[in-house]
Amino acid sequence: VMNHKRIYWIMHISCWLLIAKMALKYTQLSINNYHPALQYYTAVFMFGVVSTHCYKLIVDKYQTDAISIQNFLLFPIIGNIVIGFLFLQLDLQFTDPDFENKYYTDFSNYFSLYLDDFWVITPWFFFFHFLRYAAQKQIINERFISMEKMIISAELETLKTQLHPHFFFNALNSIKALMILDHEQARAAVDQLSDLLRLSLNIGESPSVRISEELKLSKSYLYLEKIRFDKRLQYTIDIEE
């Protein structure tokens, strides 16, 4: 996790150093400011670092881990539009007034500047979501590897008395397929398999078993089998109070 954080900050700062430099090329700065280029460069860099990091915090808090259109299109587009608009306001604050009055005479001129700001910050969103995807995939892979080691080394004889070994290999194959198609469901499947293994070990060592534990074990088993058989497996759980 620390490695991904370090990569994020290196990418984050490097991107905005480059974006600020690119923005200097198409912004007609006011000559009334003291060292206008330095002021503008610093303002763009600080604005970009703060605004896009706030975007990251919002995404980390509210966005799901599943691979979906929402994750790879909707969130970046909305973020890009909002931050691009704020970037436009920053540009206008530093643009030479005479130049603005002469060349920005209608909506199309401002929209053209907005598009410049929009496209110049797009690489940041691309790198951020690519890095986020890589981090999610690594977490799932680590959980998957840990689960495989548990199956191999964690009291196999006890597990064999509870469930057929082929079930575990089928479950692992199903999870492998889900890792490509749906990260969120793959993570849920890993959690269900982990619960199943833990409950199997506890039940095997305990002289008595609670109904709630047996029910949880059954639900985990059926959840994993449902992934494998999909619509071919239909079931209901009916328990009297």
Side-chain angles (χ1 to χ4, degrees), residues 144 148 151-152 156 160 164-176 193 197 225 228:
F144 186 77
E148 284 186 320
I151 292 174
I152 294 173
L156 283 176
K160 288 179 180 179
H164 199 284
H166 286 291
F167 163 77
F168 294 106
F169 294 108
N170 290 333
L172 288 175
N173 287 332
S174 298
I175 295 172
K176 280 183 179 180
L193 185 56
L197 293 172
E225 289 292 84
R228 180 185 174 196

Side-chain angles (χ1 to χ4, degrees), residues 150-160 201 205:
M150 184 177 181
I151 292 174
I152 294 173
S153 62
E155 300 182 45
L156 283 176
E157 293 302 319
T158 303
L159 293 174
K160 288 179 180 179
L201 290 172
E205 296 173 355

Side-chain angles (χ1 to χ4, degrees), residues 84-94 117:
F85 178 77
L86 296 176
F87 197 176
L88 172 64
Q89 305 307 309
L90 180 66
D91 273 348
L92 294 176
Q93 290 297 317
F94 282 87
D117 291 334

